[in-house]
Amino acid sequence: MTVTYNNKQVCNGQELFPSAVTARPRVEVQGADLRTFFTLVMTDPDVPGPSDPYLREHLHWIVTDIPGTTDTTFGKELVSYEIPRPNIGIHRFVFVLFKQKCRQSVVSPPQAASRDHFNTRNFAEVNDLGPPVAAVFFNVQRETAARRR
């Protein structure tokens, strides 16, 4: 799996500015055929802040039915992309990719008042997704005027 923002591939642990991640990324799936489908989950496990993440995980995006050897534009967006906007400290943003047993087998998480307290592991278990097949994460912290220079 590769994650790309503005034509720049994300490397694990890389720090990105919030202004660089406003548009949803291109996420490409490799190593499978068009008959294999995947689900992508993006969360922030550090909400509201890394020292006390009592709202973890915060759900940012879910795309299902992504055919192998393609990208998320060919999948079904269950939860729309939410821009990373950390207020306190450095936050990790995690993309986890699961292989589906078959197409249209993943159901939306229950709609809640917020995206807080999402649990990727429970979501995978409910949808019989098994263990992740790939993961990528990057870091973001609040972008101050001084950091933009």
Side-chain angles (χ1 to χ4, degrees):
M1 170 175 70
T2 59
V3 178
T4 308
Y5 279 99
N6 304 315
N7 296 320
K8 293 180 184 166
Q9 186 174 337
V10 174
C11 298
N12 276 330
Q14 179 179 8
E15 184 172 347
L16 300 173
F17 290 117
S19 59
V21 294
T22 57
R24 79 177 159 209
R26 178 181 173 101
V27 179
E28 296 177 89
V29 178
Q30 296 117 8
D33 60 42
L34 292 171
R35 296 174 305 218
T36 306
F37 296 93
F38 296 88
T39 293
L40 176 77
V41 176
M42 177 187 177
T43 65
D44 175 355
D46 299 318
V47 175
S51 62
D52 186 19
Y54 63 88
L55 297 175
R56 81 172 81 189
E57 298 167 67
H58 184 83
L59 179 61
H60 278 268
W61 198 26
I62 296 179
V63 182
T64 66
D65 296 334
I66 305 164
T69 72
T70 66
D71 63 60
T72 49
T73 58
F74 292 93
K76 177 183 175 190
E77 191 174 64
L78 289 186
V79 176
S80 62
Y81 180 74
E82 182 180 87
I83 300 167
R85 293 185 192 143
N87 288 323
I88 304 166
I90 299 171
H91 288 237
R92 296 165 292 164
F93 290 87
V94 182
F95 295 89
V96 181
L97 188 72
F98 298 95
K99 183 178 176 183
Q100 295 174 209
K101 297 224 189 277
C102 62
R103 189 174 188 195
Q104 298 180 344
S105 62
V106 177
V107 296
S108 295
Q111 296 299 324
S114 79
R115 296 176 184 223
D116 295 330
H117 304 294
F118 180 78
N119 188 304
T120 301
R121 183 174 286 165
N122 288 349
F123 176 77
E125 191 174 297
V126 165
N127 286 287
D128 197 22
L129 295 173
V133 295
V136 173
F137 81 98
F138 64 92
N139 298 314
V140 175
Q141 63 182 309
R142 188 174 179 188
E143 193 168 353
T144 63
R147 290 185 72 217
R148 287 189 202 120
R149 291 185 203 146

